Amino acid sequence: MSSVLIIIFGLIGMAFGWFVYSRFIATHVFKLDPEFVTPAHQFNDGADFHPTNRLVLWGHHFTSVAGAAPIVGPAIAVYWGWVPAVLWVVFGTIFFAGLHDMGALWASNRHHGKSMGALAESVIGKRTRMLFMVVVFLVLLMVNSVFGVVIANAFITTPEAVFPAWAAIVVALIIGQLVHRGIGKLITISCVGVVVLYISIYAGSYLPIALPANILGLPPEASWILLLFAYAAVASLLPVWMLLQPRDFINGMQLFVGLLLLYGAVMFSLPDISAPAFNHQVALDTPSIIPLLFVTIACGAVSGFHGIVASGTSSKQLDKEPDARFVGYLGAVGEGALALITIVTVSGVALATTTQEWHETYSHFGEGGTKAFILGGANLIQSGWGVPREISETLLATMVILFAGTTMDSGVRLQRYIIEEWGHIYDIQWMKKDIIATLLAVGSCLLIAFGAGDSSGSGGMIIWPLFGSTNQLLAAMTLLIISVMLLKLGRPVIYTLIPMVFVLTMAFLSAIVIFFEFIEKGDHLLAAIDLVVLITTIFVILESISTVRTHLANRRS
């Protein structure tokens, strides 16, 4: 089958989602009001709360939520076959992810820019707040700890990407200053920044940078992780206009160029699909496609982490409430487009010329990931555009690193917000201070990274198996909060309730499956954490049901 047909199907579906479905939801369900005074204007402090051009904010939101997940998840899930992966990405983007992200932005915007954890108290009750915030903190801890490892490993395996990855930070700082001081137009300056970024990618192909094998007794992986978290700590304390916004915006633009290169390469080379539509030759230890498909592909279909970003940083920068549709829903469409091209890349002849060769590459579940994407994508760009394979690999590796880096930047900032919120909730003065909260956030990640006695700093990978189900349970709880809000406002609730029930069911079943796997393997710590998340979810649901019943009873009386 030609991969072009998959591309056409996916893009037409996502276009329907943006032009038709999202407009209906924004107008008739969320009723986005251009006259509503957003928290960015109400609490403008020039640091965290800052009214932002919707294009810039889209870049921040998109690159913060994307990370490496819309590449890794689809590139692994295609093991079950490309058809179920494509269907979940396309329909998940249209009816789940866009709705979830736009809804989280709207809900936070209507509650003074509160995070989903703090928002749970306003919508459901005090007891829910702490339960919700624990799950949010766990998800952030997993994301930050693991993405540090992902970036460090990418620096080691692709040293050509080190120079452009760090050069992007310098470029972003310069752009931030120019825009803030009103020197030049945003689009013009950003386009120049992207050109400089691509020049650095070309230069990086000939300037590989590698750390020494031993720095103060630490291997290169550990040294990179320490450097990355030191950078993330500083970045999380800077005003959003200085680094976060310009870096995310140029990353969004360079991803747009990357998508054009990949999609254009498909149109020019017309590659066939070598992977099976449904894989009937799976290994004996392969997990069941239901429910695991729906937690393996999270970002690119629907992801609870998006709700954290939407309510944690993006809602504090929303200039006008209708921008929530552009930033939230279109951000989800962009991520869905990345997930779709990832599926085509790792399923086509760019990676494996025959079905048998594809089976050799994907011999077991869990294989593939970013390595398959970079290899297949580089071959695809070379065949479609004639770009040398070495430069194509550097380009794609840099794209993955920059995405993971922006997610890590926002993740540490969001961890700081949660710690500061705990300080306000329990009136603990020292927890309210930015620097101390940041040190606690970074310290918790490093404790996970090095606390398991792993000198490479890769300890965060230990809790990663919990991410899929925990992240999707968080997405279901976010949709639950949005549904309760809509019910209290007397608005249609079915559009959020149906996705919530579906995601909750699949994520809950996945968490149960994973729990018994942990027990069988003797991973009692992971089993205990999984059980805590399951119990927390049950309590949030029960509290929500109680709130709804009380509301309905009061309305009848």
Side-chain angles (χ1 to χ4, degrees):
M1 179 176 179
S2 174
S3 57
V4 174
L5 297 178
I6 298 174
I7 295 297
I8 292 174
F9 165 75
L11 294 184
I12 289 176
M14 292 179 195
F16 163 81
W18 167 244
F19 289 108
V20 180
Y21 191 67
S22 71
R23 181 174 283 112
F24 169 80
I25 296 296
T27 304
H28 299 286
V29 179
F30 298 140
K31 299 183 179 180
L32 303 182
D33 181 6
E35 301 301 322
F36 182 82
V37 179
T38 65
H41 289 281
Q42 187 178 3
F43 306 111
N44 188 356
D45 59 7
D48 296 324
F49 290 87
H50 186 71
T52 303
N53 178 288
R54 67 177 188 169
L55 284 171
V56 177
L57 185 54
W58 176 86
H60 156 69
H61 181 79
F62 177 36
T63 54
S64 293
V65 299
I71 295 173
V72 176
I76 291 175
V78 77
Y79 181 74
W80 285 301
W82 62 264
V83 168
V86 167
L87 291 177
W88 176 227
V89 163
V90 174
F91 289 106
T93 296
I94 298 170
F95 298 108
F96 292 76
L99 177 75
H100 172 277
D101 293 16
M102 178 168 52
L105 267 172
W106 165 75
S108 178
N109 183 64
R110 286 284 168 162
H111 289 82
H112 309 297
K114 289 182 179 179
S115 69
M116 292 310 302
L119 191 58
E121 177 185 1
S122 302
V123 177
I124 300 175
K126 284 186 176 181
R127 288 177 295 187
T128 309
R129 175 186 62 194
M130 181 51 65
L131 296 172
F132 204 100
M133 289 179 75
V134 167
V135 177
V136 170
F137 192 83
L138 279 174
V139 169
L140 288 171
L141 189 63
M142 294 175 195
V143 169
N144 292 335
S145 300
V146 171
F147 274 24
V149 177
V150 169
I151 300 171
N153 289 340
F155 279 159
I156 292 170
T157 57
T158 315
E160 296 83 1
V162 174
F163 176 73
W166 291 102
I169 297 172
V170 178
V171 172
L173 285 168
I174 294 172
I175 291 176
Q177 290 295 328
L178 292 175
V179 173
H180 187 68
R181 297 174 187 276
I183 304 173
K185 293 183 178 180
L186 170 65
I187 297 297
T188 303
I189 296 173
S190 299
C191 286
V192 172
V194 172
V195 171
V196 173
L197 175 61
Y198 275 92
I199 291 173
S200 73
I201 289 173
Y202 178 80
S205 299
Y206 301 97
L207 292 171
I209 298 175
L211 293 180
N214 188 306
I215 300 178
L216 300 177
L218 294 174
E221 297 94 326
S223 299
W224 277 126
I225 289 172
L226 289 173
L227 284 172
L228 287 165
F229 274 108
Y231 156 75
V234 174
S236 72
L237 290 167
L238 295 177
V240 290
W241 60 264
M242 188 177 292
L243 177 61
L244 187 71
Q245 290 177 352
R247 180 181 177 182
D248 290 354
F249 187 56
I250 61 172
N251 283 347
M253 291 182 69
Q254 70 95 15
L255 172 71
F256 183 71
V257 174
L259 288 176
L260 282 179
L261 288 174
L262 290 169
Y263 276 96
V266 171
M267 295 302 176
F268 291 149
S269 59
L270 304 176
D272 289 328
I273 295 296
S274 57
F278 298 91
N279 190 5
H280 300 295
Q281 300 181 34
V282 297
L284 293 176
D285 59 351
T286 303
S288 172
I289 186 173
I290 297 177
L292 271 299
L293 170 69
F294 303 99
V295 300
T296 302
I297 300 179
C299 296
V302 63
S303 169
F305 178 70
H306 292 204
I308 303 176
V309 175
S311 64
T313 58
S314 299
S315 66
K316 295 176 175 63
Q317 302 170 60
L318 205 63
D319 184 27
K320 297 180 180 178
E321 189 172 68
D323 291 350
R325 175 175 171 249
F326 186 90
V327 174
Y329 199 97
L330 196 58
V333 169
E335 192 169 72
L338 176 58
L340 182 66
I341 197 63
T342 296
I343 294 171
V344 170
T345 299
V346 301
S347 300
V349 294
L351 181 67
T353 55
T354 65
T355 301
Q356 183 57 41
E357 186 179 333
W358 185 90
H359 279 296
E360 291 173 1
T361 303
Y362 276 85
S363 58
H364 289 84
F365 180 77
E367 295 179 342
T370 56
K371 183 179 179 181
F373 170 75
I374 292 172
L375 178 61
N379 291 335
L380 187 61
I381 293 174
Q382 183 182 37
S383 63
W385 295 93
V387 178
R389 188 167 171 274
E390 295 78 12
I391 296 177
S392 299
E393 283 190 12
T394 303
L395 186 152
L396 294 176
T398 302
M399 188 171 78
V400 171
I401 290 169
L402 291 179
F403 268 19
T406 51
T407 300
M408 193 174 167
D409 289 358
S410 297
V412 172
R413 185 181 290 263
L414 290 165
Q415 273 189 291
R416 166 168 71 84
Y417 288 165
I418 289 178
I419 292 170
E420 288 175 354
E421 282 183 4
W422 279 334
H424 287 286
I425 290 169
Y426 299 107
D427 197 25
I428 303 174
Q429 295 300 320
W430 56 270
M431 288 181 70
K432 301 177 186 178
K433 299 183 182 298
D434 289 354
I435 295 178
I436 294 177
T438 300
L439 291 176
L440 287 175
V442 171
S444 64
C445 294
L446 292 177
L447 185 63
I448 292 292
F450 294 94
D454 189 343
S455 61
S456 70
S458 300
M461 299 301 294
I462 294 174
I463 62 173
W464 185 245
L466 286 167
F467 175 75
S469 58
T470 304
N471 181 54
Q472 297 303 69
L473 285 171
L474 180 58
M477 287 192 283
T478 299
L479 287 168
L480 179 60
I481 288 177
I482 296 169
S483 298
V484 174
M485 273 188 66
L486 291 171
L487 187 66
K488 288 183 174 181
L489 292 170
R491 298 181 188 175
V493 73
I494 190 170
Y495 304 101
T496 55
L497 197 60
I498 291 177
M500 185 275 292
V501 171
F502 181 85
V503 175
L504 178 63
T505 301
M506 294 302 162
F508 204 86
L509 290 174
S510 297
I512 293 173
V513 170
I514 294 170
F515 172 77
F516 286 109
E517 287 182 357
F518 289 152
I519 293 295
E520 186 177 343
K521 294 177 182 178
D523 293 331
H524 299 298
L525 175 61
L526 295 182
I529 296 174
D530 193 25
L531 187 60
V532 168
V533 173
L534 282 169
I535 294 173
T536 298
T537 304
I538 292 172
F539 274 111
V540 170
I541 294 170
L542 292 176
E543 287 287 334
S544 301
I545 292 173
S546 175
T547 300
V548 170
R549 283 179 174 174
T550 302
H551 171 73
L552 293 176
N554 292 337
R555 195 164 65 178
R556 290 193 195 100
S557 61

